[in-house]
Amino acid sequence: MRLFIEVFAVFILIGIVAGMDTVVSNNPCTDYTEIDEPKRSTAYEVPPPYENLLCDRDTFNGWYRFTSGAGGQLTTRTDLPEYRCGTHIPLYVNGTHPSVVEGAVDRYVCGDILGIICHKMYPIKIQNCSSYYVYYLTRTSGCSEAYCAGSELACLTGYVSPNMNFTPGCTDLDECSADMDGCDQGCINTPGSYYCTCDDDYELQPDGKTCKAQDPQSTAVRLLPIKILLFTCLLPVLNSP
């Protein structure tokens, strides 16, 4: 009986220590899942016919950090129209973000439908980790509803910025100067793009990059109609007295 009690006590002690380790290691500022989804930006408008909408009904259940270049903070904007943030019903924080000393705080996110303010409401937690925020989020009850994070947009193709290639500050990328063009010979930069050129006596191939030396015989064949035309035009002049 005594041996049984001692063994039982050891198992209890092990369980307590293991539980303490779990609590200590469960730091939201380090134990989170990253979400990199630029469409969650408040600036992103879903184009008609409004397909492939984001839906968080089967997505969230734990601590998360938004890491997209669009921004890492859940929006507090209350004037979001439908079909923003890559979804039909954008969800926003109904309140403010906490300071570091406040720790994890309780908040609600809202979704407005047909002019009804905060018709959809979900409890969340927010913690300020000094240089970023983490959020304890739960699944939404329906589709298409999604949490909105950030307010920037990805730069257009051929443009770059110091902000992970997101707005603001998008400028044209000179592919020619950056040796990103892949052109055999010449390269002309244009806003958002470029095109390749070839030296004299070379032809640009269908791939738009490769230059191939012209065949002298084929060149002569192409010039033959021009020579005939010139001779025809000059013949009356040559035959005139």
Side-chain angles (χ1 to χ4, degrees), residues 74-75 90-95 106-112 118-126 135-140 145-148:
L74 285 183
T75 186
L91 301 178
Y92 58 89
V93 176
N94 185 20
D106 294 317
R107 292 288 188 269
Y108 283 92
V109 294
C110 289
D112 304 341
C118 218
H119 180 73
K120 289 295 187 79
M121 181 181 292
Y122 302 101
I124 67 169
K125 289 182 180 293
I126 308 176
Y135 303 87
Y136 189 91
L137 306 176
T138 57
R139 300 180 179 94
T140 60
E145 308 169 28
Y147 297 97
C148 294

Side-chain angles (χ1 to χ4, degrees), residues 27-30 100 127-134:
N27 180 0
C29 289
T30 56
V100 174
Q127 180 153 337
N128 187 330
C129 299
S130 183
S131 59
Y132 58 89
Y133 292 96
V134 292

Side-chain angles (χ1 to χ4, degrees), residues 42-55:
T42 57
Y44 181 79
E45 301 181 38
V46 180
Y50 308 113
E51 297 177 337
N52 301 317
L53 300 176
L54 294 179
C55 175

Side-chain angles (χ1 to χ4, degrees), residues 67-186:
T67 58
S68 163
Q73 188 170 326
L74 285 183
T75 186
T76 56
R77 281 185 55 183
T78 59
D79 60 344
L80 292 173
E82 296 180 19
Y83 296 109
R84 284 293 181 92
C85 309
T87 190
H88 179 201
I89 304 173
L91 301 178
Y92 58 89
V93 176
N94 185 20
T96 59
H97 281 68
S99 63
V100 174
V101 296
E102 290 179 85
V105 299
D106 294 317
R107 292 288 188 269
Y108 283 92
V109 294
C110 289
D112 304 341
I113 303 177
L114 299 175
I116 303 175
I117 305 300
C118 218
H119 180 73
K120 289 295 187 79
M121 181 181 292
Y122 302 101
I124 67 169
K125 289 182 180 293
I126 308 176
Q127 180 153 337
N128 187 330
C129 299
S130 183
S131 59
Y132 58 89
Y133 292 96
V134 292
Y135 303 87
Y136 189 91
L137 306 176
T138 57
R139 300 180 179 94
T140 60
S141 61
C143 280
S144 293
E145 308 169 28
Y147 297 97
C148 294
S151 59
E152 305 299 337
L153 290 174
C155 296
L156 297 176
T157 301
Y159 289 79
V160 294
S161 81
N163 180 33
M164 298 172 61
N165 294 333
F166 278 74
T167 57
C170 294
T171 57
D172 175 54
L173 169 64
D174 188 344
E175 293 89 350
C176 300
S177 297
D179 292 330
M180 300 172 58
D181 52 87
C183 297
D184 257 4
Q185 296 178 354

